[in-house]
C-alpha cells in the first residue's frame, strides 16, 4: 500500500511529530487527527480550509484532506472529477500559491487550475496551469478571445457556453472563462486579478464570487497528486 505509506509521511511532517516504529499507536492517532478521507462528493471545511469534491461516479477516486491547506487525490478510470481546496467565497484580487507533487500517467486527461464560480452572472472559470502536455483539451469548441501575460507566462483566453450542464445552481446554461498558461507548471503563484481584468476588457465579466479552489480535474487515466494551497 504505497499510498498509505506516503500519506503517513506527509501527515507526520504536517503534524510536526516524528513517529517511530515503536510508536505506531501515536502515529495512527496523529493521522486520524490531521487527515479526513472524503467518502462521498460534497463541500465543506477541514482544518479551517474550504474543500470541494465532485465526481461523476464513473471513475475511482480517493480524495483526502490533510491539515495545513493540503489535499491528496488518487484516480483511475474514465469519468469526470474535480477536487480541490481554497476559499469560499473566492476573490477577484487573490494571489493563490500552490505546489506539491503531481504524478499523472503520461496519457492521463488531467488538468491543474485555479478554478471557481461566480453568480449573477453564473460563470465557471479556469486559470489553467497544467494540462499534461495538452492531453486534456480544456478549450475544445471554445472561442479564442485574446491573451494576457501574468506570472511569467503568456496565457491564451477563451470562452465557451455550456448548455444544460451541472453547475453550482443545478443543471443550467452558463459561460466558461478560461485562461491557459503557455508554459505548464505544477507550482507557483497565480495573480487572479490579472486574469479577471483581462477577461473584463474582453467583455467577459464575473459576478458575485462563489468558491475558488486550486483544483485537479480529470477525465481519464490514472495518477495521484498531493497539493498544498496558500491564498
Amino acid at each position: 500500500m504505497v499510498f498509505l505509506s506516503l500519506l503517513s509521511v506527509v501527515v507526520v511532517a504536517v503534524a510536526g511529530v516524528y513517529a517511530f516504529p515503536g510508536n505506531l499507536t501515536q502515529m495512527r492517532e496523529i493521522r486520524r487527527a490531521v487527515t479526513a478521507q472524503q467518502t462521498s462528493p460534497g463541500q465543506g471545511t477541514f482544518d479551517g480550509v474550504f474543500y470541494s469534491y465532485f465526481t461523476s461516479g464513473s471513475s475511482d477516486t480517493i480524495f483526502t484532506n490533510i491539515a495545513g491547506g493540503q489535499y491528496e487525490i488518487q484516480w483511475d478510470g474514465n469519468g469526470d472529477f474535480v477536487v480541490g481546496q481554497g476559499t469560499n467565497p473566492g476573490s477577484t484580487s487573490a494571489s493563490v500559491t500552490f505546489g506539491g507533487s503531481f504524478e499523472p500517467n503520461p496519457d492521463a486527461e488531467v488538468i491543474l487550475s485555479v478554478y471557481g464560480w461566480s453568480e449573477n452572472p453564473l460563470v465557471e472559470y479556469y486559470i489553467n496551469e497544467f494540462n499534461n502536455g495538452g492531453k486534456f483539451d480544456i478549450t475544445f469548441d471554445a472561442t479564442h478571445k485574446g491573451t494576457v501575460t501574468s506570472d511569467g507566462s503568456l496565457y491564451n483566453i477563451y470562452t465557451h457556453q455550456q448548455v444544460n450542464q451541472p453547475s453550482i445552481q443545478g443543471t443550467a446554461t452558463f459561460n466558461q472563462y478560461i485562461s491557459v498558461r503557455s508554459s505548464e507548471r505544477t507550482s507557483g503563484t497565480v495573480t487572479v486579478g490579472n486574469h479577471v481584468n483581462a477577461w473584463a476588457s474582453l467583455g467577459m465579466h464575473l459576478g458575485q464570487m462563489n468558491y475558488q479552489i486550486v483544483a485537479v480535474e480529470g477525465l481519464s487515466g490514472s495518477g495521484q497528486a498531493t497539493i498544498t494551497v496558500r491564498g
Side-chain angles (χ1 to χ4, degrees):
M1 296 295 290
V2 175
F3 165 62
L4 291 179
S5 299
L6 289 174
L7 184 57
S8 297
V9 171
V10 172
V11 168
V12 171
V14 171
V17 177
Y18 297 92
F20 296 95
N23 198 11
L24 291 177
T25 299
Q26 182 185 12
M27 186 169 69
R28 293 190 186 100
E29 291 300 319
I30 291 168
R31 186 170 180 274
R32 277 196 291 269
V34 300
T35 69
Q37 189 177 105
Q38 304 307 126
T39 58
S40 60
Q43 298 176 359
T45 59
F46 181 79
D47 194 35
V49 179
F50 174 80
Y51 71 86
S52 180
Y53 173 29
F54 165 84
T55 176
S56 66
S58 53
S59 63
D60 293 326
T61 58
I62 302 174
F63 176 57
T64 304
N65 284 302
I66 304 171
Q70 189 176 75
Y71 68 90
E72 182 167 84
I73 176 68
Q74 285 187 305
W75 71 93
D76 187 15
N78 299 316
D80 193 23
F81 69 87
V82 186
V83 304
Q85 289 185 349
T87 58
N88 190 5
S91 169
T92 59
S93 59
S95 292
V96 180
T97 300
F98 64 96
S101 64
F102 201 92
E103 301 171 0
N105 71 39
D107 296 323
E109 294 181 277
V110 64
I111 57 176
L112 178 66
S113 309
V114 173
Y115 168 84
W117 290 84
S118 80
E119 298 178 275
N120 300 315
L122 181 63
V123 175
E124 181 183 37
Y125 65 88
Y126 293 82
I127 305 172
N128 179 230
E129 298 291 295
F130 177 86
N131 57 28
N132 206 18
K135 298 297 189 303
F136 188 156
D137 184 7
I138 190 177
T139 65
F140 176 75
D141 205 27
T143 301
H144 186 263
K145 300 290 287 185
T147 63
V148 62
T149 298
S150 182
D151 303 310
S153 180
L154 180 77
Y155 289 76
N156 283 285
I157 297 172
Y158 301 83
T159 186
H160 179 256
Q161 186 180 65
Q162 293 281 79
V163 178
N164 295 328
Q165 295 297 314
S167 80
I168 57 172
Q169 297 179 353
T171 300
T173 296
F174 53 89
N175 287 325
Q176 293 178 319
Y177 299 164
I178 306 167
S179 290
V180 178
R181 186 180 177 91
S182 297
S183 55
E184 288 189 326
R185 62 179 180 171
T186 57
S187 64
T189 297
V190 172
T191 306
V192 174
N194 292 346
H195 298 271
V196 173
N197 292 337
W199 296 340
S201 72
L202 297 167
M204 302 160 57
H205 298 280
L206 293 176
Q208 180 181 353
M209 297 295 280
N210 200 280
Y211 72 80
Q212 182 177 81
I213 60 176
V214 176
V216 176
E217 179 172 0
L219 294 178
S220 67
S222 63
Q224 75 170 33
T226 303
I227 306 296
T228 301
V229 182
R230 300 284 185 269

